[in-house]
Amino acid sequence: MGTRKLNDPTYWKLIFSLIVFSELLDIAVSAFYPSIRFLKIISIIVLFAALPIFLRSLKGIEKKDEEARQNKLKLKNIFDTLDVAIWSHDLKSETLLITPGIEKLYGYSYIDFYKDLNLWRKVIYPEDLEVIEDRGKRLALGETVTSVYRIIRPDGEVRWIQDRGFPTLDSKGEFVDFTSVLFDITDRKESEDRYRSLVEMSPDIIAVVNYEKIEYINEAGWKLVGAQHPEDLIGHSPLKFVPPQIVEAFKVRGNPHEQQKVRLEFKVKKLNGETIDVEMASTPISYEGRFAVQVVGRDITERKRAEATIQNMAFYDTLTGLPNRNRFRHHLNDALNKKEENKMLAVLFLDLDRFKIINDTKGHNTGDIVLQRVADRLEMSVKDEGMVSRQGGDEFIILLEDIDKERAALVAQRILYEFSKPIEVNNQEFFVTPSIGISLYPSDGLDEETLIKNADTAMYQAKERGKNNYRFYSSNLNGNSIRKMELENGLRKALEKNQLTLHYQPQVSLATGEIVGIEALVRWNHPEHGFIAPSEFIPLAEETGLIVPIGKWVLWEACKQRKAWENAGFREFPIAVNVSVRQFEDDHFIEYISTILEEVGLQANHLELEITESIMQNLENSTIILNQLKELGVLLSMDDFGTGYSSLSYLKHLPIDKIKIDKSFVDDIIYHSNQGMMVKTIIDMGMNLNFVVIAEGIETEEQLSFLKNNACEIGQGYLFSRPVPADNLEEYLIIGNKKSGITN
């Protein structure tokens, strides 16, 4: 801060005043005390003594003056920095006082406002003029008013102004003066608008709760609970929608300034009484000058349903609703972990004996309905004595807790009784019987894996004993059952790993020795056990339903090989393929045969299907299918004739071309006391019914001679050839061609 120099007029005025004061003092002394001369000297001394005092006083005044000037400058700089303007208007004298800060706010020179006293109104955004009208009325009443409105600057930019007005009323209550402090709040206002827009447009619930009262809620929130307007909720207690413990958990506790975020999942009750699941987080905020809680959340009802569905899928079977493999194992482990003394558990492993036939022939829809009915019957049989679960396919496992061997047997008997009655689906009756294996804790195992494995082993033994029965586990069951399980697992992979092959056995005219047919026979070369006898794996394939895909593969391969022989010049004989009852009852069987013949390009009369007498169990359906096959031109033969259900009264009405005498009857020719009388009877009957008769299993010249003497037409067996691969059979085909006069 600077000081003034001595030639400043103020100094000279002060010195002049001191001199005048000194002279007046001298005149006064001379007038009253003329005889005392030294008093004049004293007045001069006083003059010079007072001079420093006056100088110091003057400097103090100068200092305060400078400080006031600097403070005024600082205040001006602050106003300029803060985008603040002050407007004072004396309405009586029309005197206007405006700070230069208005230039930054409005973009006009403050001189422009002096020139045009209505300029401030002209720049108001048109839609906000009603705010100004209301403000003027309230100021006239002496109220201090804070108004927010928009202005339009000369460059067209719109800015938000906060205007706080202080009115002055005279003694008569008339409005005579007011002062306004104006702030530019555009940035804050736009930020608030953006925040408000985000809040209102948010798909999440956003609400403010204060003192257990809803202060604010956005559109997503009030629509979620089924309200028509936010006013339906604002001011109401949240207890109307959420449990008391949730409201309590969201309360501000302790110091509100310390973050107290809470995240919860709970149910909200809608206005219509329905409940939904929500996830919400809360945090303390200041709302309209008071502490409150802001909650942000979302509707998670669909997510909860999806989680419940996933949970259900993880532990429950979607088709039957029964506990699945995972749920059962958890439950069994929990029961085993209790380890209560003298408590016995029973695990029942159940497999349906005839289900795969139904599933393969009637389709999966029918099969699914049957499984659902099976589940119902099992639960009805077990009641509250244990847990019934579906393991997959047609396998079920039952856990019986706190039980003994006798009661476990009673439950198994109840199950067998329930399945003695047919299951009706779409006006059709199906007989499904169970085979049940039972293992007991602790005698048959101490862990869930062992108990289930041993029950499974006992179930296989029950199947081997004729099915539709139950069997308790015994350690001596393991050998056969383990091999059977190994073969079943291997058979499931045999097709995809190319372990199955076809061998071919010729059928020979007993009169001429020519080849008049060839039978295709499937063989399985197991990677560990070598060649498995068909008598061992074919029944297993029938039991598991694998005979259907295996049978289709055999048909396809046999037809391709027959076509290859035809292309090689071997023409005049059919290739015979065995057909399972399961294949025969397949709704798409005819279509499949037709497709193979068409795609391979094989004549229908070059394919012979060998069926067994078991088809007679469903004679009506079998007759329809056989007639359809005859319409295609396919040859039909009855295999293993005499061992099954055939009735001559039925047989003569079926479109059969050939009958095959079973090997057991051919063996009787030399090994039985009746010396082949049964074979002779079958041959005579076949001739009378105009069937071609084939004898299979011929191994000796004696058998051959007997068959020739009794007019049997065709023979098949080791005497002529064992079943051999296709390449090895060509020698027989060449010999046959030569006998027929055909050359390749």
Side-chain angles (χ1 to χ4, degrees):
M1 182 185 294
T3 57
R4 301 190 182 188
K5 301 191 180 203
L6 290 178
N7 59 358
D8 192 302
T10 306
Y11 284 87
W12 293 109
K13 289 178 182 178
L14 180 59
I15 293 172
F16 178 75
S17 298
L18 287 174
I19 293 173
V20 171
F21 174 74
S22 176
E23 288 299 324
L24 290 174
L25 182 60
D26 184 49
I27 293 171
V29 170
S30 299
F32 292 102
Y33 306 100
S35 58
I36 304 176
R37 303 295 298 175
F38 72 89
L39 288 176
K40 185 172 183 178
I41 297 172
I42 291 173
S43 65
I44 293 172
I45 293 172
V46 170
L47 174 63
F48 283 100
L51 185 59
I53 296 172
F54 278 109
L55 289 173
R56 281 197 298 273
S57 299
L58 182 59
K59 287 182 179 180
I61 293 170
E62 288 178 350
K63 184 177 180 181
K64 289 180 180 179
D65 235 6
E66 183 63 22
E67 287 178 353
R69 190 179 65 83
Q70 291 294 334
N71 288 339
K72 187 176 180 181
L73 181 60
K74 286 181 181 179
L75 188 60
K76 179 180 179 301
N77 290 337
I78 290 172
F79 275 122
D80 291 344
T81 303
L82 293 177
D83 295 340
V84 176
I86 298 177
W87 176 297
S88 181
H89 192 179
D90 187 331
L91 299 177
K92 283 192 173 182
S93 63
E94 287 298 333
T95 302
L96 189 63
L97 176 61
I98 308 172
T99 61
I102 202 164
E103 294 181 350
K104 293 184 67 176
L105 267 64
Y106 281 74
Y108 292 89
S109 168
Y110 75 98
I111 301 299
D112 293 336
F113 290 95
Y114 285 115
K115 291 179 179 178
D116 185 353
L117 297 181
N118 286 316
L119 179 60
W120 68 274
R121 178 181 290 273
K122 294 176 181 178
V123 300
I124 299 294
Y125 198 79
E127 293 181 8
D128 294 345
L129 285 172
E130 60 182 27
V131 176
I132 301 302
E133 297 297 330
D134 179 68
R135 180 173 178 274
K137 293 175 182 178
R138 294 173 61 189
L139 286 173
L141 297 174
E143 296 181 24
T144 298
V145 182
T146 300
S147 305
V148 175
Y149 51 84
R150 288 165 290 181
I151 63 166
I152 304 174
R153 294 165 60 115
D155 59 3
E157 183 182 6
V158 177
R159 306 293 291 181
W160 284 92
I161 301 296
Q162 178 177 293
D163 184 345
R164 186 159 179 81
F166 305 91
T168 302
L169 303 182
D170 61 13
S171 57
K172 297 178 181 179
E174 294 182 0
F175 181 32
V176 295
D177 184 83
F178 75 92
T179 301
S180 286
V181 180
L182 301 102
F183 298 89
D184 187 327
I185 60 168
T186 303
D187 292 341
R188 189 192 81 191
K189 186 69 174 174
E190 289 179 351
S191 177
E192 289 175 353
D193 287 345
R194 283 194 298 269
Y195 176 75
R196 185 177 294 106
S197 177
L198 289 172
V199 169
E200 286 299 329
M201 294 177 64
S202 172
D204 292 337
I205 310 156
I206 301 176
V208 177
V209 181
N210 185 20
Y211 297 114
E212 299 184 1
K213 180 177 68 174
I214 299 173
E215 298 278 359
Y216 167 80
I217 188 165
N218 68 343
E219 183 176 355
W222 56 261
K223 281 188 174 180
L224 184 71
V225 296
Q228 298 298 317
H229 307 282
E231 291 76 16
D232 296 340
L233 305 180
I234 293 174
H236 293 270
S237 170
L239 291 170
K240 186 176 180 180
F241 311 100
V242 300
Q245 62 268 26
I246 300 300
V247 175
E248 187 67 23
F250 281 150
K251 275 186 178 179
V252 179
R253 305 179 190 282
N255 186 354
H257 296 289
E258 296 178 2
Q259 293 297 314
Q260 300 175 339
K261 292 183 180 179
V262 178
R263 186 180 297 275
L264 295 172
E265 292 182 6
F266 53 93
K267 290 188 178 295
V268 167
K269 186 177 180 182
K270 298 175 67 173
L271 292 176
N272 62 4
E274 295 179 7
T275 58
I276 56 173
D277 291 290
V278 298
E279 175 188 57
M280 283 195 179
S282 73
T283 187
I285 63 168
S286 177
Y287 184 79
E288 295 184 352
R290 295 168 293 173
F291 286 114
V293 173
Q294 178 175 279
V295 292
V296 179
R298 63 187 59 187
D299 183 354
I300 58 170
T301 305
E302 290 303 320
R303 192 187 82 190
K304 283 291 186 181
R305 286 176 184 162
E307 289 174 355
T309 300
I310 293 170
Q311 179 77 2
N312 192 66
M313 291 173 65
F315 291 105
Y316 290 89
D317 177 52
T318 55
L319 177 64
T320 64
L322 294 176
N324 63 9
R325 181 194 304 266
N326 293 332
R327 181 75 183 89
F328 178 83
R329 288 177 180 263
H330 278 114
H331 186 71
L332 177 55
N333 272 322
D334 290 342
L336 293 173
N337 288 335
K338 293 177 183 178
K339 294 182 179 178
E340 297 183 31
E341 294 184 7
N342 303 319
K343 296 286 186 179
M344 183 181 289
L345 303 176
V347 174
L348 282 65
F349 199 108
L350 183 149
D351 183 89
L352 303 179
D353 298 324
R354 291 180 51 80
F355 173 74
K356 288 183 174 65
I357 296 177
I358 297 170
N359 207 40
D360 294 339
T361 60
K362 299 301 178 182
H364 293 294
N365 290 338
T366 299
D368 287 347
I369 297 173
V370 170
L371 287 173
Q372 290 169 345
R373 304 282 169 79
V374 167
D376 293 340
R377 290 193 180 186
L378 289 176
E379 288 192 302
M380 187 185 305
S381 302
V382 174
K383 300 176 182 176
D384 57 353
E385 293 188 58
M387 170 191 279
V388 180
S389 71
R390 182 185 177 212
Q391 298 299 289
D394 61 347
E395 294 180 343
F396 297 81
I397 299 187
I398 299 167
L399 174 63
L400 305 176
E401 299 184 55
D402 189 16
I403 201 167
D404 54 33
K405 187 172 183 178
E406 290 72 21
R407 285 173 56 204
L410 286 174
V411 172
Q413 290 167 9
R414 283 208 306 265
I415 293 172
L416 294 176
Y417 174 76
E418 282 294 332
F419 285 90
S420 65
K421 296 168 284 188
I423 294 174
E424 186 173 321
V425 179
N426 299 327
N427 297 320
Q428 284 186 287
E429 289 186 344
F430 298 95
F431 284 90
V432 178
T433 57
S435 294
I436 306 170
I438 307 172
S439 64
L440 301 173
Y441 168 87
S443 59
D444 298 332
L446 300 176
D447 60 87
E448 55 97 7
E449 193 69 38
T450 304
L451 287 168
I452 293 174
K453 178 176 71 68
N454 290 341
D456 191 16
T457 300
M459 182 272 295
Y460 274 103
Q461 187 66 15
K463 281 187 177 293
E464 290 173 3
R465 289 169 62 92
K467 305 177 182 178
N468 192 28
N469 64 84
Y470 67 91
R471 177 87 168 173
F472 282 94
Y473 172 77
S474 174
S475 57
N476 61 11
L477 299 178
N478 267 331
N480 293 335
S481 298
I482 289 174
R483 175 173 172 82
K484 188 172 182 180
M485 284 188 286
E486 287 179 353
L487 290 181
E488 180 180 338
N489 291 334
L491 192 57
R492 293 183 185 278
K493 301 175 183 177
L495 269 178
E496 61 185 68
K497 293 188 175 181
N498 298 318
Q499 295 172 4
L500 298 181
T501 58
L502 288 185
H503 284 198
Y504 300 89
Q505 189 174 35
Q507 297 172 341
V508 179
S509 168
L510 299 185
T512 65
E514 297 177 15
I515 294 177
V516 293
I518 294 176
E519 182 177 3
L521 299 165
V522 65
R523 294 293 183 263
W524 179 20
N525 186 11
H526 193 282
E528 295 177 7
H529 302 295
F531 277 99
I532 309 297
S535 60
E536 186 174 9
F537 77 82
I538 293 296
L540 185 60
E542 291 273 4
E543 180 182 316
T544 59
L546 293 171
I547 195 65
V548 174
I550 290 174
K552 288 182 177 180
W553 178 83
V554 170
L555 274 166
W556 185 267
E557 291 298 316
C559 288
K560 286 199 300 182
Q561 182 58 57
R562 181 63 190 87
K563 184 64 179 178
W565 283 329
E566 180 183 313
N567 294 337
F570 309 117
R571 300 180 181 278
E572 301 305 322
F573 59 84
I575 191 158
V577 179
N578 290 283
V579 176
S580 163
V581 175
R582 291 196 174 189
Q583 290 175 270
F584 198 72
E585 293 180 349
D586 187 344
D587 291 339
H588 303 288
F589 181 64
I590 301 297
E591 179 185 347
Y592 185 71
I593 295 294
S594 178
T595 300
I596 290 178
L597 293 173
E598 182 178 349
E599 293 192 8
V600 173
L602 185 67
Q603 296 177 41
N605 63 352
H606 283 174
L607 174 62
E608 179 180 324
L609 300 180
E610 294 189 1
I611 58 177
T612 61
E613 292 178 277
S614 55
I615 69 165
M616 306 294 281
Q617 294 179 79
N618 190 347
L619 183 64
E620 182 179 353
N621 186 58
S622 298
T623 303
I624 294 172
I625 296 173
L626 290 172
N627 284 322
Q628 289 175 335
L629 288 170
K630 287 304 295 181
E631 289 176 7
L632 284 178
V634 173
L635 300 177
L636 300 171
S637 65
M638 182 72 73
D639 195 14
D640 300 333
F641 184 78
T643 62
Y645 307 91
S646 294
S647 167
L648 291 179
S649 62
Y650 293 149
L651 191 61
K652 65 182 181 181
H653 297 298
L654 295 178
I656 300 296
D657 298 294
K658 305 175 183 179
I659 57 173
K660 295 185 73 172
I661 303 173
D662 187 70
K663 183 181 184 299
S664 62
F665 296 125
V666 174
D667 289 342
D668 286 346
I669 294 172
I670 56 176
Y671 296 119
H672 200 275
S673 60
N674 64 26
Q675 297 182 336
M677 290 303 296
M678 181 63 73
V679 173
K680 187 177 185 310
T681 301
I682 294 174
I683 294 173
D684 291 341
M685 181 201 68
M687 292 175 62
N688 290 330
L689 294 176
N690 294 319
F691 294 143
V692 174
V693 179
I694 303 174
E696 60 181 354
I698 303 173
E699 297 179 352
T700 68
E701 290 291 343
E702 184 180 352
Q703 291 169 334
L704 176 61
S705 178
F706 180 89
L707 292 167
K708 281 184 176 181
N709 292 335
N710 285 279
C712 182
E713 300 172 72
I714 301 173
Q716 177 181 346
Y718 283 7
L719 183 63
F720 306 109
S721 172
R722 290 176 175 271
V724 294
D727 293 342
N728 297 351
L729 194 65
E730 287 197 6
E731 180 181 347
Y732 291 91
L733 295 174
I734 293 171
I735 293 172
N737 272 355
K738 287 180 179 179
K739 289 182 178 180
S740 303
I742 301 172
T743 57
N744 292 334

